[in-house]
């Protein structure tokens, strides 16, 4: 080993010992906070050390960015020499930074024994760093006296720029350049090169000391009486993390610490509620016909094959009103109503693959499991695995996911219960859809519009040019009219006691109107039979009245007429037909639950029709209220003033 190499090795060993001694000393002084007055033991030297670290580390990046964004237009336009001077200064700084980057990118690891070309490469590196420092000094020594004296603000602006540049080009950047030099691979080099290497080592040592002082601070030593001090220390560490990141590929600083901190931050930013109960607001009905009360409840996490949904908005269906009025034993309370909504999946239970967290979904009261024989068949939408029934439980487990704050059970409604900020629904009752459709329109497809439109489209299969009679022009009846219009029916006769419904019905395709109160001694069926010369091709009962089912059946055309029942009658209602008429008329009487639609396949079709401006969803929404005003939505529907009232959870 040459004498120079031995000398260099001895120098590195000495430097290493000094570095460890300095590091231990600084580490012992590192229990600090940004509030110097709070440092224990009254050690003012620690406060001074902290100030230096914070200034060097946390301010460097900010000043560098501010300096680069200085607007030269603020310099006086009346003196071209001033602008030229400033441009010259900026050019020198720009050239300086370019040379530094070129120098730092040279792979000094490739330097080996006795290779003049490699030694020349190192010489070039040293020269570029030297030139870089010279250009910086020239730029920073710009004679500000040449700047116009007429506008002191210009001089102040230039001072700010010079000061910022001066601060930003301190040894922190130079240390990055020097850190890429592999001194162990340098041998047989001239003394000037060794001196340059020593200088680089000194800069690395200073930079690493500052970084380690901040990052090794023991936060536990900070007094617990002032949490702000801990917060300040976290801020310092974050700034240090930013300032020590590599600025080019030649930097030897390990990136893993940044990646770890980034991962922890992203995890802490999103506090997961998955698998935990959620406390939220819900509109609870505790007795038949009583006003709903907004109260806080607990929503349990989903069980296997269930999803928990954050509700965006709901709409009010007349079925909610009917159930709200029911008394015991049919009515079950306390209960959370609502079955038309749009929401976002918050979490999923085990074995849920159809949707994932963040998906926008429509919950439906009918299931579509996709597994049973009925769901696999095109002839039915009635799931036999999870059949519809008037139950207060979840469809799969016969239990509730709702409790009040005292732990008492709150019951579900139609397997959905959307008048809550969060609800749990079986995945068979959930349909994922394109969120490009507004939620206050998509929620209508959860029940009403889908039921009416589907009854005309799927159940009755209305043919073009046919005649349709609709008993009841509420939302369901108007949706039937809309569906019949889309199918090409030429005559759509609306039947309703409210004469104002005729004008409303025209918007959805109604062409004629019958008011039962104006029929005199004739029944509605007789009037329609006369109007149609023998009866309508398709008749839809949309009220929920056994007597109107008889009327709808009576005005169907013999031979091929179809009477479709959509309305929900009171429990125990009976329809009595003459077996003679059934045999000799050749008519069909059928029910239509959810319009005969399979939710997961047919709802996306309806959404596309809306986006293609075929299906008119907008006209159904007559009112919108915030969640706290949900009782107003009930009042509007009971008084016949609204078709669909949308209830926003966060407005």
């Amino acid at each position: 080993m040459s004498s120079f190499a031995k000398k260099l090795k001895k120098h590195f060993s000495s430097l290493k010992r000094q570095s460890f001694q300095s590091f231990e000393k600084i580490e012992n002084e590192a229990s600090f906070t940004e509030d110097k007055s709070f440092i224990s033991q009254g050690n003012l030297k620690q406060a001074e050390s902290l100030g230096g670290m914070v200034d060097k580390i946390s301010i460097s990046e900010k000043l560098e960015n501010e300096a680069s964004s200085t607007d030269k237009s603020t310099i006086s336009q009346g003196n071209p020499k001033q602008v030229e001077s400033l441009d010259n200064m900026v050019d020198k700084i720009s050239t300086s930074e370019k040379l530094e980057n070129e120098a730092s990118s040279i792979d000094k690891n490739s330097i080996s024994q006795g290779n003049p070309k490699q030694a020349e490469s190192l010489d070039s590196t040293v020269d570029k760093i030297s030139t870089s420092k010279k250009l910086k000094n020239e730029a920073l020594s710009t004679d500000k006296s040449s700047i116009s004296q007429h506008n002191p603000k210009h001089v102040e602006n230039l001072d700010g720029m010079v000061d910022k540049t001066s601060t930003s080009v301190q040894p922190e950047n130079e240390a990055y350049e020097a850190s890429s030099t592999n001194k162990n691979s340098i041998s047989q080099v001239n003394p000037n090169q060794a001196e340059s290497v020593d200088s680089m080592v000194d800069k690395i040592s200073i930079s690493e000391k500052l970084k380690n002082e901040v990052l090794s601070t023991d936060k536990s030593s900070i007094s617990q009486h002032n949490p702000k001090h801990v917060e300040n220390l976290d801020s310092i560490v974050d700034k240090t993390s930013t300032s020590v990141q590599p600025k080019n590929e030649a930097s030897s600083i390990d990136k893993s610490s940044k990646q770890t901190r980034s991962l922890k931050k992203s995890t802490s930013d999103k506090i997961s509620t998955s698998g935990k109960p959620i406390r939220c607001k819900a509109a609870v009905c505790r007795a038949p016909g009583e006003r709903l009360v907004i109260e806080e409840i607990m929503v349990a996490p989903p069980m296997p094959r269930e999803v928990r949904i954050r509700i965006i908005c709901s709409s009010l269906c007349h079925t909610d009103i009917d159930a709200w009025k029911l008394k015991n034993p049919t009515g079950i309370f306390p209960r959370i109503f609502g079955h038309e909504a749009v929401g976002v999946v918050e979490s999923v239970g085990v074995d849920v693959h159809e949707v994932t967290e963040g998906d926008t979904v429509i919950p439906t009261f009918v299931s579509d499991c996709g597994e049973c024989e009925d769901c696999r068949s095109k002839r039915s939408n009635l799931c036999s695995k999870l059949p519809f029934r008037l139950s207060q439980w979840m469809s799969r487990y016969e239990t509730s996911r709702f409790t009040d704050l005292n732990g008492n059970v709150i019951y579900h409604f139609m397997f959905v219960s959307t008048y809550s900020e969060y609800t749990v629904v079986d995945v068979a009752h959930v349909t994922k859809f394109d969120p490009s459709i507004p939620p206050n329109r998509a929620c209508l497809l959860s029940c009403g519009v889908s039921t009416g439109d589907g009854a005309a489209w799927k159940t009755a299969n209305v043919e073009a040019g046919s005649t349709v009679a609709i008993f009841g022009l509420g939302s369901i009846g108007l949706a039937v009219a809309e569906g019949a219009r889309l199918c090409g029916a030429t005559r759509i006769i609306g039947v309703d006691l409210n004469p104002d419904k005729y004008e409303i019905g025209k918007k959805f395709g109604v062409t004629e109107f019958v008011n039962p109160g104006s029929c005199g001694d004739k029944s509605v069926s007789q009037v329609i039979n006369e109007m149609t010369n023998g009866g309508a091709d398709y008749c839809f009962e949309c009220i929920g009245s056994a007597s109107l089912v008889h009327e709808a059946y009576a005005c169907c055309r013999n031979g091929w007429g179809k009477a479709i029942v959509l309305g929900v009658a009171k429990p125990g209602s009976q329809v009595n037909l003459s077996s003679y008429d059934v045999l000799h008329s050749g008519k069909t009487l059928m029910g239509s639950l959810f319009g005969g639609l399979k939710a997961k396949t047919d709802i996306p079709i309806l959404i596309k029709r809306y986006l293609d401006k075929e299906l008119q969803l907008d006209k159904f929404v007559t009112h919108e209220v915030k969640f706290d005003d949900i009782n107003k939505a009930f009042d509007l529907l009971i008084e016949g003033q609204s078709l669909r009232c949308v209830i926003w959870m966060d407005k």
Side-chain angles (χ1 to χ4, degrees):
M1 180 182 293
S2 68
S3 60
F4 174 76
K6 291 179 179 179
K7 181 179 179 181
L8 184 62
K9 181 177 181 181
K10 182 178 180 181
H11 175 76
F12 286 157
S13 299
S14 176
L15 179 62
K16 184 176 181 181
R17 286 195 302 272
Q18 294 174 11
S19 298
F20 278 115
Q21 291 170 359
S22 299
F23 176 81
E24 290 175 357
K25 179 181 178 181
I26 293 170
E27 188 178 37
N28 291 331
E29 297 175 354
S31 297
F32 55 82
T33 159
E34 203 164 325
D35 184 355
K36 321 299 188 303
S37 64
F38 191 75
I39 299 178
S40 62
Q41 308 302 324
N43 192 335
L44 299 179
K45 188 174 182 180
Q46 292 176 344
E48 181 180 354
S49 176
L50 172 63
M53 280 184 277
V54 172
D55 293 338
K56 291 175 183 177
I57 297 172
S58 65
I59 300 176
S60 174
E61 289 292 330
K62 179 179 178 183
L63 291 178
E64 189 173 33
N65 292 332
E66 290 177 358
S68 64
S69 62
T70 300
D71 186 2
K72 292 186 291 184
S73 64
T74 61
I75 304 298
S76 172
Q77 303 300 316
N79 192 335
K81 188 175 181 180
Q82 297 166 359
V83 179
E84 180 180 353
S85 176
L86 180 61
D87 286 336
N88 187 32
M89 177 180 175
V90 173
D91 290 340
K92 289 177 180 179
I93 294 173
S94 177
T95 304
S96 166
E97 293 176 348
K98 180 178 180 182
L99 287 172
E100 286 181 0
N101 289 331
E102 290 177 2
S104 64
S105 64
I106 294 177
D107 185 7
K108 304 172 190 73
N109 292 328
S110 65
I111 298 176
S112 60
Q113 304 281 344
N115 191 329
K117 188 174 182 180
Q118 294 165 344
E120 181 182 351
S121 177
L122 179 62
D123 287 336
S124 175
T125 302
V126 174
D127 291 340
K128 288 180 179 178
I129 295 175
S130 177
T131 303
S132 167
K133 293 164 69 175
K134 181 179 178 182
L135 285 172
K136 287 178 184 176
N137 291 331
E138 289 178 8
L140 297 175
S141 64
T142 299
D143 186 5
K144 297 190 289 290
S145 64
S146 64
I147 303 298
S148 173
Q149 303 300 316
H150 299 292
N151 194 337
K153 187 174 182 180
H154 299 152
V155 178
E156 181 181 349
N157 288 338
L158 185 57
D159 281 337
M161 180 175 180
V162 172
D163 291 341
K164 293 167 185 175
T165 307
S166 176
T167 304
S168 68
V169 299
Q170 290 307 309
E172 182 188 354
N173 286 336
E174 297 174 6
Y176 280 114
E177 298 159 4
S179 66
S180 62
T181 304
N182 187 350
K183 294 171 292 186
N184 293 328
S185 65
I186 301 174
S187 62
Q188 307 301 326
V189 293
N190 62 50
N192 289 337
Q193 294 170 342
E195 181 180 353
S196 177
V197 172
D198 286 341
S199 177
M200 293 179 192
V201 172
D202 290 340
K203 291 172 183 176
I204 294 172
S205 178
I206 294 170
S207 175
E208 289 298 321
K209 283 180 182 179
L210 289 174
K211 297 167 194 171
N212 291 330
E213 283 174 12
V214 178
L215 295 175
S216 64
T217 298
D218 183 7
K219 290 188 286 185
S220 65
S221 65
I222 297 177
S223 170
Q224 303 302 315
H225 298 291
N226 193 337
K228 187 175 182 181
H229 297 150
V230 179
E231 180 181 348
N232 289 338
L233 181 61
D234 286 335
S235 177
I236 295 172
V237 173
D238 289 341
K239 292 174 184 176
T240 305
S241 174
T242 301
S243 70
V244 301
Q245 295 310 310
K247 295 188 178 179
N248 50 60
E249 294 180 357
S251 175
S252 62
I253 296 178
D254 190 0
K255 299 180 183 179
S256 62
S257 60
K258 178 183 177 182
Q259 295 170 343
T260 302
R261 279 190 289 269
S262 176
L263 179 60
K264 289 180 179 178
K265 185 177 187 301
S266 64
T267 303
S268 62
D269 286 347
K270 180 183 178 182
I271 302 176
S272 175
T273 54
S274 179
K276 305 173 184 177
I278 290 179
R279 181 170 174 166
C280 67
K281 292 194 300 182
V284 181
C285 183
R286 293 196 169 272
E290 286 190 2
R291 308 288 279 184
L292 276 59
V293 179
I294 304 295
E295 58 182 80
E296 289 193 329
I297 67 166
M298 299 303 296
V299 182
M303 292 184 68
R305 298 295 290 161
E306 294 179 350
V307 299
R308 187 162 58 187
I309 303 169
R310 177 177 61 84
I311 299 297
I312 298 174
C313 63
S314 270
S315 52
L316 178 61
C317 176
H318 214 288
T319 303
D320 294 300
I321 301 290
D322 294 336
W324 170 66
K325 293 178 180 179
L326 290 177
K327 297 182 179 181
N328 291 330
T330 307
I332 300 175
F333 299 91
R335 199 168 214 171
I336 298 175
F337 291 110
H339 63 284
E340 289 188 351
V342 162
V344 176
V345 175
E346 174 270 337
S347 61
V348 301
V350 177
D351 294 332
V352 173
H353 311 291
E354 298 87 339
V355 295
T356 188
E357 294 179 14
D359 285 344
T360 308
V361 295
I362 293 176
T364 56
F365 67 93
V366 293
S367 57
D368 186 1
C369 75
E371 301 169 359
C372 67
E373 181 180 354
D374 299 271
C375 286
R376 293 198 302 269
S377 171
K378 295 181 179 180
R379 295 177 291 178
S380 172
N381 72 329
L382 303 179
C383 178
S384 55
K385 184 174 183 178
L386 300 171
F388 175 77
R389 60 193 187 282
L390 294 176
S391 172
Q392 70 271 32
W393 308 115
M394 295 293 294
S395 59
R396 195 180 296 261
Y397 295 103
E398 297 286 323
T399 53
S400 175
R401 302 292 169 269
F402 301 130
T403 56
D404 62 21
L405 297 186
N406 295 320
N408 300 314
V409 171
I410 300 176
Y411 298 108
H412 290 254
F413 178 65
M414 296 179 70
F415 308 130
V416 182
S417 293
T418 62
Y419 297 157
S420 172
E421 291 179 322
Y422 287 85
T423 190
V424 179
V425 182
D426 194 282
V427 71
H429 293 262
V430 169
T431 298
K432 180 180 176 180
F433 73 99
D434 180 0
S436 61
I437 178 175
N440 59 342
R441 300 298 183 262
C443 65
L444 305 183
L445 301 177
S446 225
C447 176
V449 173
S450 292
T451 297
D453 186 278
W457 165 37
K458 285 283 188 174
T459 305
N461 193 19
V462 171
E463 296 178 344
S466 59
T467 299
V468 173
I470 304 170
F471 289 77
L473 293 182
S475 292
I476 301 294
L478 293 173
V480 171
E482 176 73 358
R485 179 187 67 81
L486 292 174
C487 289
T490 54
R491 296 183 69 183
I492 302 176
I493 304 169
V495 180
D496 203 288
L497 287 169
N498 185 350
D500 295 336
K501 290 294 183 72
Y502 185 26
E503 290 302 317
I504 297 173
K506 288 179 180 179
K507 300 176 182 179
F508 299 93
V510 173
T511 59
E512 300 163 71
F513 186 77
V514 174
N515 186 339
S518 303
C519 293
D521 296 334
K522 296 181 180 180
S523 65
V524 173
S525 59
Q526 287 177 312
V527 172
I528 292 178
N529 282 331
E530 291 175 1
M531 292 172 62
T532 59
N533 193 26
D537 301 306
Y538 308 95
C539 295
F540 298 85
E541 194 283 318
C542 305
I543 301 295
S545 167
S547 62
L548 288 181
V549 173
H550 280 278
E551 286 291 282
Y553 186 79
C555 63
C556 281
R557 193 170 192 88
N558 287 339
W560 65 72
K562 292 181 181 180
I564 297 96
V565 179
L566 290 82
V568 179
K570 294 180 180 180
S573 297
Q574 299 288 326
V575 174
N576 297 310
L577 296 175
S578 166
S579 60
Y580 181 88
D581 290 340
V582 171
L583 174 63
H584 292 84
S585 66
K587 303 176 182 180
T588 301
L589 176 64
M590 58 195 309
S592 180
L593 190 65
F594 195 58
L597 300 183
K598 290 182 179 293
K600 297 183 188 296
T601 54
D602 292 329
I603 285 180
I605 295 174
L606 294 179
I607 288 176
K608 185 178 186 304
R609 288 180 176 176
Y610 170 75
L611 295 175
D612 290 342
K613 302 186 183 305
E614 297 175 6
L615 179 62
Q616 303 179 93
L617 291 178
D618 299 342
K619 296 179 180 179
F620 285 95
V621 179
T622 56
H623 298 80
E624 298 190 8
V625 299
K626 59 184 180 180
F627 188 38
D628 289 342
D629 294 331
I630 189 171
N631 287 303
K632 182 179 179 181
F634 274 65
D635 294 339
L636 289 169
L637 189 57
I638 292 170
E639 295 166 5
Q641 298 182 32
S642 71
L643 293 177
R644 275 296 185 268
C645 181
V646 174
I647 303 158
W648 289 94
M649 305 306 289
D650 59 350
K651 289 188 179 181

